[in-house]
């Protein structure tokens, strides 16, 4: 099966994971992009220490650069699509509940908009 990484886009056109990547220093940015490429190659088979399931079909992509720890949250969608919702700098041992909830909210929005035909809103 072929996998394709895609970035979630909000209804108003924001791309939270791109904003996150743009905020990172060049080394961490390169590491996250590299991990996304590996995720695209490996899909479901990518495991710790690079990826881990969190809950309810939400996964995290894990990057470490020196003492900095970055995470990008994602979910799998049909036809091998991997939707990366957003990223954050990890400061605690456990992934913060608010980050998981945000990924779930973004997934719910994504699924709702996938199910609706584009009606030319505006």
């Amino acid at each position: 099966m072929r996998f394709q990484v895609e970035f979630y886009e909000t209804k108003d056109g924001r791309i939270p994971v791109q904003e996150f990547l743009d905020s990172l220093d060049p080394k961490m940015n390169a590491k996250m992009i590299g991990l996304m490429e590996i995720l695209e190659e490996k899909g479901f088979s990518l495991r710790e220490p690079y990826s881990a399931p969190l809950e309810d079909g939400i996964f995290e992509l894990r990057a470490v650069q020196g003492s900095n720890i970055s995470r990008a949250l994602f979910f799998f969608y049909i036809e091998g699509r991997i939707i990366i919702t957003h990223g954050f700098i990890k400061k605690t041992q456990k992934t913060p509940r608010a980050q998981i909830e945000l990924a779930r909210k973004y997934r719910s929005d994504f699924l709702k908009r996938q199910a609706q035909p584009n009606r030319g809103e505006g």
Side-chain angles (χ1 to χ4, degrees), residues 45-101:
S45 64
L46 186 64
R47 299 277 190 255
E48 291 189 42
Y50 309 109
S51 176
L54 294 175
E55 63 180 58
D56 192 29
I58 302 293
F59 295 79
E60 68 179 0
L61 198 58
R62 305 167 157 189
V64 178
Q65 177 65 42
S67 62
N68 296 324
I69 302 171
S70 292
R71 299 288 191 258
L73 301 189
F74 66 94
F75 62 92
F76 291 94
Y77 189 58
I78 58 174
E79 300 172 346
R81 293 168 68 191
I82 300 168
I83 311 302
I84 301 181
T85 58
H86 70 291
F88 62 97
I89 302 294
K90 190 167 178 197
K91 299 184 186 310
T92 60
Q93 193 65 22
K94 285 185 69 168
T95 299
R97 165 109 340 250
Q99 297 295 340
I100 296 170
E101 291 303 320

Side-chain angles (χ1 to χ4, degrees), residues 7-16 19 85 106 109 113:
F7 292 172
Y8 165 77
E9 184 174 338
T10 65
K11 197 170 186 175
D12 64 0
R14 283 185 50 246
I15 303 172
E19 294 169 3
T85 58
Y106 286 160
D109 175 63
R113 288 191 286 137

Side-chain angles (χ1 to χ4, degrees), residues 24-32 65:
L24 297 174
D25 69 69
K27 283 186 178 182
M28 182 61 88
N29 180 295
K31 194 157 228 180
M32 285 301 296
Q65 177 65 42

